[in-house]
Amino acid sequence: MADFKSKLKGLFFFKEPEKIEKFILKENESRNSSSENKEKDSEEREGRTSRDNNNKESSKKRGVKTPIARIKQVGAKDEEKSEGSDEDDKGSKDISGMTKVSKKLSDNLAYIKEKYTIPVNSDIVIREFNITVKGKTIPTFIVFIDGMTDTKVLDLAILQPLMLLSNMEIKDDDNEVGNIIRDHLLPHNQIQIVTELSDVVDDINFGGCGVFVDGIDKAFTADVKGWKSRSIERPNTEMVIRGPQEGFNEILRTNTGLIRKILKDEDLIAENISVGRRSKTPCSLMYIKDIANESLVNEVRRRLEGIKIDYLFDSGELEQLIEDNPYLAAPQILATERPDRVASMLTEGKVAIVVQGSPFVLVMPTTHIDLFHTPEDSYLRFPYANMLRIIRISAIAMSLLLPGFYIAITTFHQEMIPTDLLFAIEASREKVPFPSLVEILIMEFAFEFIREAGVRIPGPLGSTLGIIGGLILGQAAVAANIVSPILIIIVAVTGIGSFAVPNFSLGYAYRIIKFVYIFLAATAGFLGIAIGLFLQGLWLTSSKSFGIPFMAPIAPVTNGGLTDQILRTPIWKQEKRPDFLNAKNNRKQEHFSRKWVQDDKKK
Amino acid sequence: MKKYKFISFIIAIVLQGTMLTGCYDAREIDDMAYPIALGFDKGESNELRMTLQIAVPVNIAGGEGGGGGDGEKGVTVVTVDTPSIYSGLSMLNTFLSKQINLSHLKAIVFSKEIAMEGVSKYLHAMIRNREFRPNARVIVSRCPAEEFISAVKPKLETNPAKYYELLLSAYKYTGFSTDTQLIGFYHKTESDSIQAVAVLADVSEYESSDEFSIDSSTYKQKGRSYPLEGDFKAGDLPKTGELNIEVMGLAVFNGGKMVGELDGEETTYHLMLEGKFKSMLFTMPDPMDSENFIVLNIMKSRKTKKKVEMHGDKPKLYAKVFLEGDILSIQKGTNYENEKNTPMLEEATEIFIKEGVIKYLDKSINVFGTDTNGFGKQYKSKFLTWNDWEQFDWLTKYKQSNYEIDIDVNIRRPGLITKTVPEVIGN
Amino acid sequence: MSSNIRFGKIEAILMLITAISIQLYLGIARRMVEAGGVAGWMIPLYTCLLSLILFFFISKLYKNFEGKDIIDVAQIAGGSLCRVLVGLIFIVDYFFILSIMLRIFGEDIKIFALNKSPLSFVIIFFVIAIVVSAYLGIETIVRLNTIIVPIVTIAFLIVVLGNVDFFDTTRVFPVFGAGLHNIFVKQLPRVSIYSAFSILLFIVPFIGGNKDFKSIGYWSLIITGFLLSFGTLVYILAVPYPTSTEYFIPYLHLARYVNHGRFFQRIESIFILTWTLSAILYLSSGVFFLIYMIKKTFRLEYYRPLILPVAIILYTLCFIPPNLMYIVFLEGNIIRQYAWIVTFAVPIIVLLVANIVKRKKEGEKCNEKI
């Protein structure tokens, strides 16, 4: 009771608001911060690629070769040496306190066994064997998780060479065992030398293989991921007729690869950020370096890094964790299954997040108008695309307002119905015992049942649903005088309208709000609907998606970049990126992109 | 996030508050009765006798989709004697189960008797109420409105509302009635530059075709030896059949008071002068042989030009009517399609129509003295301020008008044949 | 209400247009016809010209006060006393106008849609919308204009086009209607139909500089002048003169007339929808600025605590007038006659004084230097 009182008090009494500065995407990032960022960036990059002396070459190639997640190439050799020699004389020590790879193999083995609770944990495989390097026999073991690794690769590229090749004569003066192993004995394409035990564990958890050799305080990790995954299939939720038919699958690298396949651009950055304290789900933050606004990228990075959660499974969860306004009905981040959609949005200056394990990639910031678009819009010629857009917008309006309008008109504004229709409705309603409101709620709920059941129903039973839904709820309900036939049409059109919403999250949003409009209409007719529209308008215009007004570019009006918003102009007129995104480079194409037309004229 | 808590709180309160207190104006569509026609007669036991023709939707739309409705059963007629319109509605609702909602009213029928007395007081009551649609049609019935409304039994459609709507817009192709929407009628009763007309209607007097007579036709007054199709007023037509009502001619009003009637032909000329004329099938005697007829499909070709000049104290009205026509029938078989004869036919038509218009204008000025054609509107632009115009007192001056009428007819098409070959009769 | 709220020119112009031309949906067409006869359409044009001239003076005087609203200027002109005085004048003015408008909107809805609902029920809807919008702040309200204004414009155009059949050009004659004296001399105070223009004096801090201030002022005045005149002209063309003084809500009648064939008619209920939308838009921006004025005048730190009290006061005030006739009298004969004093006269006086004071101070400084 006291709690309720204080809540009530909180509503009616003014509390001084805390001064929070919310993120607003501004046009001009100050020079300083951006240069700082660049420095940071370049430092990071150096750290990653310093193995080769010719840094420049590698960084050039880096755009094409995807840097692999979680693989950290360790720095110069001398560094390793100096670190290594310190711990030489230490004997075996307490395993639980270990953080670095020990020189003693038994310590490492004990550590791994404790970490993975072996032998209780049955799918962790530890294979112990000996290798011979320059005549010395050294005990070695590898550790990996069965089912996440490709055993063939493991056999061919790790075990076979270590056990067989080590017997061969090595023509190298270097006597360092670690170097010999790395340089001669492990013919695998992705080998890292790691000194931190936690890094080894992370790699193993991610489908890698850890190689521990007695006598050196380094471990090798090899990327032998071989987990099973779906192949690339057609996207299920965003079908197009004209356009690429590839969809994302659950593998991060496949997904980033799919995007890179479309955007062959060395300025496309895929930053790695892992989310989840325990799950350490790898996410890839993608943007085009010289188009995306830096403050936007920083904001997304800040939000991603600021998530404190144990496990993250899907981008749907991530979306809820980083969106601006969890209470807004409409989604503020676009989730898409289509690489081409992500690519085209990246070129506008937006930022994408790919999450390991999710076939949906998040794109942000998103405006309400983006949610009306389908990827097909830009592949079709512009008159067709515009017709589709108009149809879609009216379908969305129908799905939102039609039941409300029906209630408002039939219970408040009967003068609005054409006389013939009025008599038809009245005649069909004559035997229906319910008021229109109850009638429409019954049907709407029935329809929602069918919809939900349609998603959950096991495949073989699918056809039964059609019979139940179509026959029993449609015809029989009318025959039994529970609902009037006109109402079935209303509900059906509403349903079809909501299926025409290209973004299914938005579809959900409007399905919920639809009920609010039904009640408002039942309360005060068109006055209620008008108030509802006004409040919804306020709600949408006041919200932001990553610092961008959600209703941009209508409210507020922005100049330029309006070529592909509500309606679409021909593609050669789409010269600028949307102004509200404040991209670094605002121009998409040259002023006269169809150069050949000019050439024609010259002839 | 606090603001969303606030908003959702407000919305919850609103929803609860309003849902609990009830939806004051909500009326289910089937909780109301929708009259289609409303008739006014002089009441015997009270001021007014009101007749309502109420739609019975179950019979119109056929209930649960099974079988069509029936036009005759589609309506029910109730009559009540009452002091005023709204008190009558209250009285009706004491025995009518459904609340009366007038928003689908299609026709407002005044009996001639009540129209002669003046309809302004009823009009004001209607305009004040939002339920009366501005496009309901005003009809003056020569018989009691009750009788007329009871006689409306549409046969071609199940929906009597559609019957009224279609019947009263037939003037577009018959030229025998006009468009008298309530709002236009109302505006004209209050205007000082144009005066109102209403559609004239009646119940047929003949039960079978044996009883037909043309005694009440107006052809004799026009100096004809036989009646043409326009020489009738509603109720006088020699016709029989299941459809028992007639709509033809106009009731002429001065302000809110009816002052006279026009027959079908005069209605056509009224339409031509006012500018509402669209098209009609027009019959006239053959200029070469008055025993035979020529039938033309006459259409408006351009807007009617009207002008008013003052000659001393008397206004002079100028009007030029532009028409075009297609030949539908030449009974005599004369070759009017010939380029020499066509001008002759055109001229004859012009003269025929001009005579009719002159007779009509004569009646309008001298008999009724009401400017139903809107000549006054043309003269308004000669004044600078409304006061001057009011003092000029057009409607009084109109009664002394002279006129000059010009008709321009062009025969455009002969139909599917280009000339008439005379019939050959063998000996 | 941090000062970094900014909104664009288009939004500001649209807000002013909504605030002023909302009268079209009230009785302005009738009132113009009452005042000027069939020449009523000239009055908005003529008063628009007048207000343009007045605004010219205001903008000239405003040159030295870039980014300051009228209450700030009053502070410069006469210190705190002057600030509170000017603030109170505007606050009383807004309370008066807004409560009357609230009542009229409620009554109108009651008359043509919800006959049986109690007035308090109708008005509570408006009040809720106002409270929520004031809570979300001016930025949202202004932005919402760009969504709602196009919808309302389309609805307005449908009404106008639907009435083309009823147009009769002879209805604008005699050209000068009620007479030149009646139109141009007696209707001088009708410049008050632009009273909502005073909002411009308060959005100064939110817009970019004097250049925007000028163009917003001129454009919104020109567009609304044209709109009001056009709207009145449409009404005059569609409804003959003496009858046109009868109708309480002219545009509702015009919407009822729309009648094309057996199907395209009876659209006035849709009209209610757009009508309500623009009405709330006007009311919410008005109430926001009322609250903003109170905050400014009394130098409060937050405005949100004021929302509920102000809403409740407005809700109470609007029930004071006993009947609709009295309200219509108040709107037509008080607000639309004398509101110009607050909208144009007070700012000009304040600005004049402030200019003089400023010049004096600068002069003193110069003297000191010498």
Side-chain angles (χ1 to χ4, degrees), chain A residues 105 109 113 126-130 139-142 159 163:
Chain A
L105 191 67
L109 189 64
K113 277 188 173 165
I126 297 176
R127 168 83 161 86
E128 288 173 86
F129 56 95
N130 291 336
T140 312
F141 74 89
I142 61 169
L159 279 176
M163 290 162 86

Side-chain angles (χ1 to χ4, degrees), chain A residues 8 10-13 15 22 324-327 410-412 414-415 417-420 422-432 435-437 481 519 522-523 535 539 542-543, chain B residues 1-7 9 11 15 18-19 23-30 32 34 36 55 57-58 60-64 98 101 103-104 106 130 133 159 161-162 165:
Chain A
L8 208 67
L11 278 170
F12 284 103
F13 288 86
K15 274 180 275 170
K22 278 202 161 182
D324 290 56
N325 183 355
Y327 292 93
T410 52
T411 53
F412 285 88
Q414 290 91 357
E415 71 274 6
I417 315 171
T419 312
D420 302 311
L422 176 94
F423 291 157
I425 296 176
E426 192 180 346
S428 67
R429 268 196 56 79
E430 199 63 51
K431 286 180 184 169
V432 177
S436 317
L437 176 65
N481 286 326
F519 282 109
T523 317
L535 290 180
W539 200 15
S542 68
S543 47
Chain B
M1 288 314 91
K2 201 188 148 216
K3 60 186 172 189
Y4 297 104
K5 216 181 188 176
F6 187 78
I7 292 170
F9 176 77
I11 289 171
L15 277 179
T18 50
M19 298 306 289
C23 327
Y24 299 96
D25 280 271
R27 300 278 181 281
E28 287 297 332
I29 211 164
D30 49 333
M32 284 191 281
Y34 300 93
I36 294 168
V58 182
I60 294 170
E64 46 203 68
K98 295 183 171 184
N101 183 324
S103 62
H104 286 266
K106 299 292 169 197
R130 74 180 179 117
R133 303 293 313 174
N159 181 355
K162 191 174 174 185
E165 279 175 325

